[in-house]
């Protein structure tokens, strides 16, 4: 018996994001270079990029890193308040978020 890879659905074998588990078409997933069997959706890739940037900013503080930290704090505040889920305001905030560092 072989172990089922975590990213495949046992019934449909549909590609899944290894981070959030969402089903996506293979062309909607970002694959790792040395491990192409591992893939994440665009939203999780964006999240990973932000986490990597935060880690780099913590290790090498810069003025730009401080600015990104302020943006991150504002994003966290908005999410904690649930404003990103409020109708038109939520749509606007999510659209703005796509363009923030
Ligand atoms: Zn995902």
């Amino acid at each position: 018996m072989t172990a089922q890879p975590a990213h495949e659905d046992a019934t449909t074998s549909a590609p899944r994001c290894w981070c959030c588990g969402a089903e996506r078409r293979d062309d909607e997933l970002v694959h790792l270079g040395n491990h192409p069997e591992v893939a994440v959706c665009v939203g999780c890739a964006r999240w990973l990029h932000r986490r990597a940037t935060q880690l780099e900013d913590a290790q090498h503080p810069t003025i730009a890193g401080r600015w990104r930290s302020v943006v991150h704090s504002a994003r966290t505040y908005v999410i904690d308040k649930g404003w990103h889920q409020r109708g038109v305001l939520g749509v606007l905030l999510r659209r703005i978020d796509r363009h923030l560092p």
Side-chain angles (χ1 to χ4, degrees):
M1 182 175 169
T2 59
Q4 184 76 11
H7 72 289
E8 290 185 10
D9 184 313
T11 57
T12 63
S13 295
R16 288 183 177 267
C17 172
W18 279 55
C19 183
C20 70
E23 282 189 25
R24 297 282 188 263
R25 291 191 325 261
D26 195 55
D27 62 346
E28 295 175 325
L29 295 171
V30 179
H31 295 264
L32 298 186
N34 285 337
H35 295 278
E37 72 278 11
V38 177
V40 294
C41 69
V42 172
C44 289
R46 186 176 293 123
W47 182 82
L48 285 168
H49 177 262
R50 285 179 176 160
R51 294 286 299 152
T53 302
Q54 288 171 353
L55 181 63
E56 190 173 41
D57 287 344
Q59 292 173 344
H60 307 286
T62 62
I63 291 173
R66 289 188 185 138
W67 167 244
R68 282 188 291 269
S69 177
V70 169
V71 171
H72 175 71
S73 295
R75 178 186 296 114
T76 301
Y77 183 81
V78 166
I79 291 171
D80 286 348
K81 295 290 183 182
W83 295 347
H84 65 297
Q85 296 173 329
R86 289 189 180 175
V88 176
L89 176 63
V91 170
L92 178 63
L93 290 171
R94 289 191 305 270
R95 183 166 293 173
I96 290 171
D97 185 53
R98 282 187 224 137
H99 301 287
L100 293 175

